[in-house]
PDB file of all heavy atoms in Angstrom:
ATOM      1  N   SER A1425    -206.478 168.013  29.891  1.00 76.00           N
ATOM      2  CA  SER A1425    -205.094 168.442  29.675  1.00 76.00           C
ATOM      3  C   SER A1425    -205.024 169.417  28.498  1.00 76.00           C
ATOM      4  O   SER A1425    -206.009 169.630  27.782  1.00 76.00           O
ATOM      5  CB  SER A1425    -204.204 167.219  29.406  1.00 76.00           C
ATOM      6  OG  SER A1425    -204.615 166.585  28.194  1.00 76.00           O
ATOM      7  N   ASP A1426    -203.865 169.976  28.288  1.00 74.00           N
ATOM      8  CA  ASP A1426    -203.668 170.923  27.174  1.00 74.00           C
ATOM      9  C   ASP A1426    -203.414 170.161  25.873  1.00 74.00           C
ATOM     10  O   ASP A1426    -202.394 170.336  25.201  1.00 74.00           O
ATOM     11  CB  ASP A1426    -202.497 171.859  27.489  1.00 74.00           C
ATOM     12  CG  ASP A1426    -202.786 172.750  28.685  1.00 74.00           C
ATOM     13  OD1 ASP A1426    -203.975 173.030  28.940  1.00 74.00           O
ATOM     14  OD2 ASP A1426    -201.829 173.152  29.373  1.00 74.00           O
ATOM     15  N   TRP A1427    -204.360 169.293  25.517  1.00 72.00           N
ATOM     16  CA  TRP A1427    -204.169 168.455  24.330  1.00 72.00           C
ATOM     17  C   TRP A1427    -204.134 169.280  23.039  1.00 72.00           C
ATOM     18  O   TRP A1427    -203.550 168.852  22.045  1.00 72.00           O
ATOM     19  CB  TRP A1427    -205.285 167.415  24.257  1.00 72.00           C
ATOM     20  CG  TRP A1427    -206.676 167.999  24.223  1.00 72.00           C
ATOM     21  CD1 TRP A1427    -207.476 168.233  25.287  1.00 72.00           C
ATOM     22  CD2 TRP A1427    -207.404 168.416  23.070  1.00 72.00           C
ATOM     23  NE1 TRP A1427    -208.666 168.773  24.905  1.00 72.00           N
ATOM     24  CE2 TRP A1427    -208.650 168.899  23.518  1.00 72.00           C
ATOM     25  CE3 TRP A1427    -207.134 168.444  21.699  1.00 72.00           C
ATOM     26  CZ2 TRP A1427    -209.620 169.395  22.657  1.00 72.00           C
ATOM     27  CZ3 TRP A1427    -208.095 168.924  20.834  1.00 72.00           C
ATOM     28  CH2 TRP A1427    -209.330 169.400  21.317  1.00 72.00           C
ATOM     29  N   HIS A1428    -204.760 170.469  23.050  1.00 72.00           N
ATOM     30  CA  HIS A1428    -204.769 171.284  21.840  1.00 72.00           C
ATOM     31  C   HIS A1428    -203.400 171.892  21.540  1.00 72.00           C
ATOM     32  O   HIS A1428    -203.180 172.400  20.434  1.00 72.00           O
ATOM     33  CB  HIS A1428    -205.803 172.407  21.978  1.00 72.00           C
ATOM     34  CG  HIS A1428    -205.719 173.163  23.270  1.00 72.00           C
ATOM     35  ND1 HIS A1428    -206.276 172.683  24.430  1.00 72.00           N
ATOM     36  CD2 HIS A1428    -205.117 174.330  23.582  1.00 72.00           C
ATOM     37  CE1 HIS A1428    -206.047 173.549  25.413  1.00 72.00           C
ATOM     38  NE2 HIS A1428    -205.337 174.551  24.922  1.00 72.00           N
ATOM     39  N   HIS A1429    -202.478 171.838  22.518  1.00 72.00           N
ATOM     40  CA  HIS A1429    -201.107 172.289  22.282  1.00 72.00           C
ATOM     41  C   HIS A1429    -200.185 171.142  21.896  1.00 72.00           C
ATOM     42  O   HIS A1429    -199.001 171.375  21.627  1.00 72.00           O
ATOM     43  CB  HIS A1429    -200.545 172.974  23.530  1.00 72.00           C
ATOM     44  CG  HIS A1429    -201.246 174.267  23.839  1.00 72.00           C
ATOM     45  ND1 HIS A1429    -201.289 174.787  25.117  1.00 72.00           N
ATOM     46  CD2 HIS A1429    -201.950 175.132  23.057  1.00 72.00           C
ATOM     47  CE1 HIS A1429    -201.975 175.926  25.104  1.00 72.00           C
ATOM     48  NE2 HIS A1429    -202.378 176.147  23.854  1.00 72.00           N
ATOM     49  N   ALA A1430    -200.696 169.909  21.893  1.00 72.00           N
ATOM     50  CA  ALA A1430    -199.887 168.734  21.590  1.00 72.00           C
ATOM     51  C   ALA A1430    -199.823 168.522  20.084  1.00 72.00           C
ATOM     52  O   ALA A1430    -200.638 169.062  19.321  1.00 72.00           O
ATOM     53  CB  ALA A1430    -200.477 167.503  22.273  1.00 72.00           C
ATOM     54  N   PRO A1431    -198.866 167.724  19.605  1.00 74.00           N
ATOM     55  CA  PRO A1431    -198.840 167.372  18.180  1.00 74.00           C
ATOM     56  C   PRO A1431    -200.128 166.673  17.761  1.00 74.00           C
ATOM     57  O   PRO A1431    -200.841 166.081  18.571  1.00 74.00           O
ATOM     58  CB  PRO A1431    -197.625 166.435  18.078  1.00 74.00           C
ATOM     59  CG  PRO A1431    -196.762 166.801  19.228  1.00 74.00           C
ATOM     60  CD  PRO A1431    -197.695 167.219  20.329  1.00 74.00           C
ATOM     61  N   CYS A1432    -200.399 166.725  16.473  1.00 76.00           N
ATOM     62  CA  CYS A1432    -201.673 166.211  15.955  1.00 76.00           C
ATOM     63  C   CYS A1432    -201.837 164.722  16.241  1.00 76.00           C
ATOM     64  O   CYS A1432    -202.919 164.272  16.623  1.00 76.00           O
ATOM     65  CB  CYS A1432    -201.752 166.482  14.454  1.00 76.00           C
ATOM     66  SG  CYS A1432    -203.327 165.995  13.718  1.00 76.00           S
ATOM     67  N   ILE A1433    -200.770 163.951  16.065  1.00 75.00           N
ATOM     68  CA  ILE A1433    -200.865 162.502  16.295  1.00 75.00           C
ATOM     69  C   ILE A1433    -201.161 162.214  17.764  1.00 75.00           C
ATOM     70  O   ILE A1433    -201.989 161.356  18.097  1.00 75.00           O
ATOM     71  CB  ILE A1433    -199.554 161.820  15.868  1.00 75.00           C
ATOM     72  CG1 ILE A1433    -199.333 161.992  14.371  1.00 75.00           C
ATOM     73  CG2 ILE A1433    -199.570 160.339  16.228  1.00 75.00           C
ATOM     74  CD1 ILE A1433    -198.028 161.416  13.873  1.00 75.00           C
ATOM     75  N   LEU A1434    -200.520 162.942  18.664  1.00 77.00           N
ATOM     76  CA  LEU A1434    -200.724 162.725  20.093  1.00 77.00           C
ATOM     77  C   LEU A1434    -202.127 163.123  20.521  1.00 77.00           C
ATOM     78  O   LEU A1434    -202.764 162.443  21.337  1.00 77.00           O
ATOM     79  CB  LEU A1434    -199.682 163.511  20.886  1.00 77.00           C
ATOM     80  CG  LEU A1434    -199.629 163.253  22.395  1.00 77.00           C
ATOM     81  CD1 LEU A1434    -199.373 161.788  22.674  1.00 77.00           C
ATOM     82  CD2 LEU A1434    -198.564 164.122  23.042  1.00 77.00           C
ATOM     83  N   SER A1435    -202.648 164.221  19.980  1.00 76.00           N
ATOM     84  CA  SER A1435    -204.006 164.645  20.330  1.00 76.00           C
ATOM     85  C   SER A1435    -205.044 163.655  19.836  1.00 76.00           C
ATOM     86  O   SER A1435    -206.073 163.457  20.483  1.00 76.00           O
ATOM     87  CB  SER A1435    -204.276 166.035  19.762  1.00 76.00           C
ATOM     88  OG  SER A1435    -204.176 166.019  18.348  1.00 76.00           O
ATOM     89  N   ARG A1436    -204.778 163.001  18.708  1.00 78.00           N
ATOM     90  CA  ARG A1436    -205.718 161.985  18.230  1.00 78.00           C
ATOM     91  C   ARG A1436    -205.691 160.752  19.124  1.00 78.00           C
ATOM     92  O   ARG A1436    -206.726 160.083  19.301  1.00 78.00           O
ATOM     93  CB  ARG A1436    -205.390 161.596  16.794  1.00 78.00           C
ATOM     94  CG  ARG A1436    -205.771 162.646  15.757  1.00 78.00           C
ATOM     95  CD  ARG A1436    -205.898 162.027  14.385  1.00 78.00           C
ATOM     96  NE  ARG A1436    -204.646 161.387  13.978  1.00 78.00           N
ATOM     97  CZ  ARG A1436    -203.727 161.968  13.222  1.00 78.00           C
ATOM     98  NH1 ARG A1436    -203.910 163.220  12.799  1.00 78.00           N
ATOM     99  NH2 ARG A1436    -202.625 161.315  12.881  1.00 78.00           N
ATOM    100  N   ASN A1437    -204.550 160.441  19.672  1.00 79.00           N
ATOM    101  CA  ASN A1437    -204.457 159.264  20.544  1.00 79.00           C
ATOM    102  C   ASN A1437    -205.249 159.436  21.841  1.00 79.00           C
ATOM    103  O   ASN A1437    -205.646 158.444  22.464  1.00 79.00           O
ATOM    104  CB  ASN A1437    -202.992 158.976  20.869  1.00 79.00           C
ATOM    105  CG  ASN A1437    -202.228 158.450  19.672  1.00 79.00           C
ATOM    106  OD1 ASN A1437    -202.833 157.895  18.742  1.00 79.00           O
ATOM    107  ND2 ASN A1437    -200.922 158.624  19.675  1.00 79.00           N
ATOM    108  N   ILE A1438    -205.446 160.683  22.248  1.00 82.00           N
ATOM    109  CA  ILE A1438    -206.241 160.910  23.457  1.00 82.00           C
ATOM    110  C   ILE A1438    -207.671 160.420  23.263  1.00 82.00           C
ATOM    111  O   ILE A1438    -208.338 159.989  24.213  1.00 82.00           O
ATOM    112  CB  ILE A1438    -206.207 162.406  23.831  1.00 82.00           C
ATOM    113  CG1 ILE A1438    -204.780 162.815  24.215  1.00 82.00           C
ATOM    114  CG2 ILE A1438    -207.150 162.730  24.971  1.00 82.00           C
ATOM    115  CD1 ILE A1438    -204.628 164.265  24.573  1.00 82.00           C
ATOM    116  N   ILE A1439    -208.143 160.442  22.015  1.00 82.00           N
ATOM    117  CA  ILE A1439    -209.495 159.954  21.732  1.00 82.00           C
ATOM    118  C   ILE A1439    -209.612 158.478  22.106  1.00 82.00           C
ATOM    119  O   ILE A1439    -210.637 158.042  22.646  1.00 82.00           O
ATOM    120  CB  ILE A1439    -209.837 160.176  20.249  1.00 82.00           C
ATOM    121  CG1 ILE A1439    -209.801 161.669  19.923  1.00 82.00           C
ATOM    122  CG2 ILE A1439    -211.200 159.581  19.914  1.00 82.00           C
ATOM    123  CD1 ILE A1439    -210.037 161.977  18.468  1.00 82.00           C
ATOM    124  N   PHE A1440    -208.560 157.716  21.851  1.00 82.00           N
ATOM    125  CA  PHE A1440    -208.606 156.289  22.183  1.00 82.00           C
ATOM    126  C   PHE A1440    -208.641 156.065  23.693  1.00 82.00           C
ATOM    127  O   PHE A1440    -209.267 155.116  24.181  1.00 82.00           O
ATOM    128  CB  PHE A1440    -207.407 155.583  21.561  1.00 82.00           C
ATOM    129  CG  PHE A1440    -207.413 155.574  20.060  1.00 82.00           C
ATOM    130  CD1 PHE A1440    -206.633 156.463  19.343  1.00 82.00           C
ATOM    131  CD2 PHE A1440    -208.228 154.695  19.369  1.00 82.00           C
ATOM    132  CE1 PHE A1440    -206.638 156.468  17.958  1.00 82.00           C
ATOM    133  CE2 PHE A1440    -208.243 154.691  17.976  1.00 82.00           C
ATOM    134  CZ  PHE A1440    -207.457 155.575  17.268  1.00 82.00           C
ATOM    135  N   VAL A1441    -207.974 156.935  24.440  1.00 82.00           N
ATOM    136  CA  VAL A1441    -208.055 156.835  25.905  1.00 82.00           C
ATOM    137  C   VAL A1441    -209.472 157.116  26.377  1.00 82.00           C
ATOM    138  O   VAL A1441    -210.010 156.420  27.249  1.00 82.00           O
ATOM    139  CB  VAL A1441    -207.058 157.814  26.553  1.00 82.00           C
ATOM    140  CG1 VAL A1441    -207.182 157.782  28.069  1.00 82.00           C
ATOM    141  CG2 VAL A1441    -205.631 157.478  26.138  1.00 82.00           C
ATOM    142  N   ILE A1442    -210.095 158.120  25.793  1.00 82.00           N
ATOM    143  CA  ILE A1442    -211.471 158.446  26.163  1.00 82.00           C
ATOM    144  C   ILE A1442    -212.419 157.305  25.785  1.00 82.00           C
ATOM    145  O   ILE A1442    -213.325 156.943  26.544  1.00 82.00           O
ATOM    146  CB  ILE A1442    -211.899 159.767  25.496  1.00 82.00           C
ATOM    147  CG1 ILE A1442    -211.014 160.915  26.000  1.00 82.00           C
ATOM    148  CG2 ILE A1442    -213.360 160.078  25.778  1.00 82.00           C
ATOM    149  CD1 ILE A1442    -211.263 162.233  25.294  1.00 82.00           C
ATOM    150  N   MET A1443    -212.201 156.703  24.603  1.00 83.00           N
ATOM    151  CA  MET A1443    -213.033 155.576  24.192  1.00 83.00           C
ATOM    152  C   MET A1443    -212.862 154.380  25.127  1.00 83.00           C
ATOM    153  O   MET A1443    -213.824 153.650  25.402  1.00 83.00           O
ATOM    154  CB  MET A1443    -212.683 155.184  22.756  1.00 83.00           C
ATOM    155  CG  MET A1443    -213.079 156.207  21.702  1.00 83.00           C
ATOM    156  SD  MET A1443    -212.496 155.760  20.060  1.00 83.00           S
ATOM    157  CE  MET A1443    -213.333 154.189  19.826  1.00 83.00           C
ATOM    158  N   GLU A1444    -211.627 154.177  25.606  1.00 81.00           N
ATOM    159  CA  GLU A1444    -211.381 153.062  26.520  1.00 81.00           C
ATOM    160  C   GLU A1444    -212.143 153.223  27.830  1.00 81.00           C
ATOM    161  O   GLU A1444    -212.620 152.238  28.417  1.00 81.00           O
ATOM    162  CB  GLU A1444    -209.879 152.957  26.801  1.00 81.00           C
ATOM    163  CG  GLU A1444    -209.472 151.791  27.691  1.00 81.00           C
ATOM    164  CD  GLU A1444    -209.661 150.443  27.015  1.00 81.00           C
ATOM    165  OE1 GLU A1444    -209.670 150.393  25.768  1.00 81.00           O
ATOM    166  OE2 GLU A1444    -209.798 149.443  27.747  1.00 81.00           O
ATOM    167  N   THR A1445    -212.267 154.455  28.292  1.00 79.00           N
ATOM    168  CA  THR A1445    -212.969 154.696  29.560  1.00 79.00           C
ATOM    169  C   THR A1445    -214.477 154.715  29.400  1.00 79.00           C
ATOM    170  O   THR A1445    -215.187 154.821  30.412  1.00 79.00           O
ATOM    171  CB  THR A1445    -212.508 156.032  30.164  1.00 79.00           C
ATOM    172  OG1 THR A1445    -212.751 157.095  29.223  1.00 79.00           O
ATOM    173  CG2 THR A1445    -211.028 155.985  30.495  1.00 79.00           C
ATOM    174  N   ARG A1446    -214.974 154.647  28.176  1.00 81.00           N
ATOM    175  CA  ARG A1446    -216.427 154.594  27.990  1.00 81.00           C
ATOM    176  C   ARG A1446    -217.002 153.269  28.480  1.00 81.00           C
ATOM    177  O   ARG A1446    -218.175 153.180  28.829  1.00 81.00           O
ATOM    178  CB  ARG A1446    -216.779 154.792  26.511  1.00 81.00           C
ATOM    179  CG  ARG A1446    -216.441 156.169  25.970  1.00 81.00           C
ATOM    180  CD  ARG A1446    -217.303 157.234  26.607  1.00 81.00           C
ATOM    181  NE  ARG A1446    -218.699 157.051  26.317  1.00 81.00           N
ATOM    182  CZ  ARG A1446    -219.337 157.524  25.263  1.00 81.00           C
ATOM    183  NH1 ARG A1446    -218.650 158.237  24.359  1.00 81.00           N
ATOM    184  NH2 ARG A1446    -220.626 157.327  25.086  1.00 81.00           N
ATOM    185  N   THR A1447    -216.174 152.237  28.468  1.00 81.00           N
ATOM    186  CA  THR A1447    -216.587 150.948  29.033  1.00 81.00           C
ATOM    187  C   THR A1447    -216.262 150.961  30.523  1.00 81.00           C
ATOM    188  O   THR A1447    -215.081 150.934  30.903  1.00 81.00           O
ATOM    189  CB  THR A1447    -215.866 149.781  28.359  1.00 81.00           C
ATOM    190  OG1 THR A1447    -216.132 149.809  26.959  1.00 81.00           O
ATOM    191  CG2 THR A1447    -216.339 148.451  28.930  1.00 81.00           C
ATOM    192  N   PRO A1448    -217.244 151.013  31.402  1.00 82.00           N
ATOM    193  CA  PRO A1448    -216.953 151.188  32.835  1.00 82.00           C
ATOM    194  C   PRO A1448    -216.301 149.951  33.446  1.00 82.00           C
ATOM    195  O   PRO A1448    -216.596 148.812  33.059  1.00 82.00           O
ATOM    196  CB  PRO A1448    -218.343 151.451  33.442  1.00 82.00           C
ATOM    197  CG  PRO A1448    -219.300 150.802  32.495  1.00 82.00           C
ATOM    198  CD  PRO A1448    -218.690 150.930  31.128  1.00 82.00           C
ATOM    199  N   VAL A1449    -215.403 150.186  34.378  1.00 86.00           N
ATOM    200  CA  VAL A1449    -214.805 149.114  35.171  1.00 86.00           C
ATOM    201  C   VAL A1449    -215.698 148.902  36.388  1.00 86.00           C
ATOM    202  O   VAL A1449    -215.759 149.754  37.273  1.00 86.00           O
ATOM    203  CB  VAL A1449    -213.369 149.475  35.589  1.00 86.00           C
ATOM    204  CG1 VAL A1449    -212.788 148.397  36.480  1.00 86.00           C
ATOM    205  CG2 VAL A1449    -212.499 149.682  34.367  1.00 86.00           C
ATOM    206  N   GLN A1450    -216.382 147.786  36.423  1.00 87.00           N
ATOM    207  CA  GLN A1450    -217.381 147.550  37.455  1.00 87.00           C
ATOM    208  C   GLN A1450    -217.067 146.292  38.231  1.00 87.00           C
ATOM    209  O   GLN A1450    -216.542 145.306  37.683  1.00 87.00           O
ATOM    210  CB  GLN A1450    -218.776 147.444  36.818  1.00 87.00           C
ATOM    211  CG  GLN A1450    -219.248 148.720  36.156  1.00 87.00           C
ATOM    212  CD  GLN A1450    -220.573 148.542  35.434  1.00 87.00           C
ATOM    213  OE1 GLN A1450    -220.872 147.460  34.935  1.00 87.00           O
ATOM    214  NE2 GLN A1450    -221.368 149.595  35.379  1.00 87.00           N
ATOM    215  N   LEU A1451    -217.407 146.333  39.505  1.00 89.00           N
ATOM    216  CA  LEU A1451    -217.311 145.142  40.345  1.00 89.00           C
ATOM    217  C   LEU A1451    -218.537 144.279  40.070  1.00 89.00           C
ATOM    218  O   LEU A1451    -219.672 144.729  40.239  1.00 89.00           O
ATOM    219  CB  LEU A1451    -217.250 145.552  41.815  1.00 89.00           C
ATOM    220  CG  LEU A1451    -217.064 144.438  42.846  1.00 89.00           C
ATOM    221  CD1 LEU A1451    -215.731 143.734  42.635  1.00 89.00           C
ATOM    222  CD2 LEU A1451    -217.146 144.997  44.259  1.00 89.00           C
ATOM    223  N   LYS A1452    -218.304 143.038  39.647  1.00 89.00           N
ATOM    224  CA  LYS A1452    -219.400 142.171  39.228  1.00 89.00           C
ATOM    225  C   LYS A1452    -219.431 140.909  40.070  1.00 89.00           C
ATOM    226  O   LYS A1452    -218.387 140.321  40.365  1.00 89.00           O
ATOM    227  CB  LYS A1452    -219.263 141.806  37.748  1.00 89.00           C
ATOM    228  CG  LYS A1452    -219.436 142.991  36.805  1.00 89.00           C
ATOM    229  CD  LYS A1452    -219.371 142.544  35.357  1.00 89.00           C
ATOM    230  CE  LYS A1452    -219.566 143.721  34.415  1.00 89.00           C
ATOM    231  NZ  LYS A1452    -219.504 143.303  32.990  1.00 89.00           N
TER     232      LYS A1452
END
């Protein structure tokens, strides 16, 4: 997304979304 056009606080929050997806959702 165009996160570089977003406010600074909002662009930093995108990092947490990316970190959340680093743990894969797997069928176990």
Side-chain angles (χ1 to χ4, degrees):
S1425 64
D1426 295 333
W1427 58 268
H1428 48 279
H1429 293 155
C1432 184
I1433 296 177
L1434 188 58
S1435 61
R1436 286 201 301 264
N1437 289 337
I1438 295 179
I1439 299 176
F1440 295 101
V1441 177
I1442 298 174
M1443 292 174 60
E1444 183 69 24
T1445 58
R1446 294 293 297 272
T1447 302
V1449 177
Q1450 296 175 329
L1451 183 63
K1452 293 183 179 180

